[in-house]
Amino acid sequence: MVSVISELNDRSREIFRHIVDAYVETGEPIGSRTLSRRLGTSLSPATIRNVMADLEEFGLLYAPHTSAGRVPTEAGLRLFVDGLLEVGAITPDERRALDAQCAVRGRSLEQVLEEASSALSGLSGCAGLVMAPKREGALQHIEFIPLGPGRALVVMVSTDGQVENRILDLPPGLPPSALTMASNYLNARLTGGHTLSETRAVVTAEMAAQRADLDSLTSRLVEQGLAVWADSTADRSDGYLIVRGQAHLLEDVTALGDLERIRGLFQALEAREGALRLLEAAHLAEGVQIYIGAENPLFAQAGCSVVLAPYTNARDQIIGAIGVIGPTRLNYARIIPMVDYTAKLIGRILR
């Protein structure tokens, strides 16, 4: 599609640029007479109509109504974004607003990400979304507490003071002393701030090499105790989605069908599959990515666009993404640098 740009002369590019600008500004089709006045040149409405007809033949414009003006197609918007868009810089006011709202100030990462999503929504007038990583904090203590015949409570304390517990069915014939032995064995391997997955990897390796120095029943207890935690968090192991400002997407909706498509989009986003698709999209390339309408199956039905940027952890690994969802007539020039800055801001917080 970008190759089409080379086939457009300067006049066609200028007219096309003004059509897109008008569409982004109003969401309404623009006619040749209005466009002639906007251009402020000697081009007559008839000349502009001829150019618009050529652009329509290229698949860049279409007429939503028989007697209406023209608006860009999704293919036209893609060409504009890839080849004609002049991306601006984030303004000092926007930078200060994002810095202030995303400041850590003793808050958890989840709270910071929620604030970032809300800030993007407020500044862009769109829905803000964050694909948040599943946080796995370092463990401080693990203990097996007997509950009665055949059952025990597995208590896990993280270094940030959070306490969680799970009920575990014990292996038949397990002596009470095995609970203490299993607790001591695991706690000896928590030094150095290991996470659950790291602890499980160490224990699995030791048991495979028969270096655990535990009898078979206690080894089974240790494996079950770690497994019950891994299984209980598996549904969030790929992260979760935070969406703020959904009401912005409903402001321009008038038809019932459009409303249902927007609702369908949010149902898809709330599903785990929707969140995974966003994370997959963030891994496709570095930097800000723009999906217009049907280019992304997740947003095709709703006729929306998404501007998405990945953010990284201290090891420069992509662990999530942040962006905005809005109508295809997004102000891409303003929103792209805003999303890019916010993603980099979160990355700095995680270092």
Side-chain angles (χ1 to χ4, degrees), residues 8 23 32 35 48 95 120 137 165 172 193 219 279 307 326:
L8 301 180
Y23 177 65
S32 55
L35 194 53
I48 292 175
R95 186 189 300 266
L120 272 181
N165 55 72
S219 295
L279 193 56
V307 179

Side-chain angles (χ1 to χ4, degrees), residues 72-86:
T73 62
E74 289 182 2
L77 288 171
R78 169 52 63 187
L79 179 139
F80 176 78
V81 167
D82 288 348
L84 298 175
L85 179 66
E86 296 178 0

Side-chain angles (χ1 to χ4, degrees), residues 15 24 66 94 96-97 102 104 130 135 137 143 147 184 241 249 259 273 296 306 313 317-318 347 349:
I15 289 174
V24 167
T66 304
E94 291 167 345
R96 282 191 291 270
C102 298
V104 177
V130 177
R135 292 196 71 196
E143 188 167 357
L147 291 179
N184 292 339
L241 200 64
L249 287 183
L259 179 61
E273 182 182 355
N296 187 307
V306 61
N313 60 13
Q317 298 169 322
I318 295 175
I349 291 172

Side-chain angles (χ1 to χ4, degrees), residues 326-342:
T328 55
R329 63 181 188 89
L330 283 176
N331 187 338
Y332 297 96
R334 176 172 173 261
I335 289 175
I336 289 171
M338 192 185 300
V339 170
D340 183 48
Y341 179 80
T342 309

Side-chain angles (χ1 to χ4, degrees), residues 126-166:
C126 303
L129 73 159
V130 177
M131 178 65 197
K134 171 160 187 335
R135 292 196 71 196
E136 188 178 4
L139 300 179
Q140 180 176 318
H141 185 75
I142 297 176
E143 188 167 357
F144 294 84
I145 300 173
L147 291 179
R151 305 186 86 195
L153 190 69
V154 190
V155 179
M156 195 169 287
V157 182
S158 62
T159 54
D160 60 5
Q162 294 188 6
V163 179
E164 296 187 56
N165 55 72
R166 301 286 187 275

Side-chain angles (χ1 to χ4, degrees), residues 226-281:
L226 294 176
V228 72
W229 284 93
D231 292 343
S232 68
T233 57
D235 61 332
R236 291 206 305 141
S237 61
D238 294 297
Y240 57 99
L241 200 64
I242 300 169
V243 183
R244 294 291 181 269
Q246 294 97 318
H248 287 305
L249 287 183
L250 303 176
E251 291 176 354
D252 294 335
V253 172
T254 54
L256 181 61
D258 291 338
L259 179 61
E260 291 304 315
R261 283 193 291 273
I262 296 294
R263 285 176 176 168
L265 168 63
F266 285 117
Q267 289 173 353
L269 286 173
E270 288 169 3
R272 184 169 180 266
E273 182 182 355
L276 288 177
R277 283 188 187 177
L278 278 182
L279 193 56
E280 288 170 3

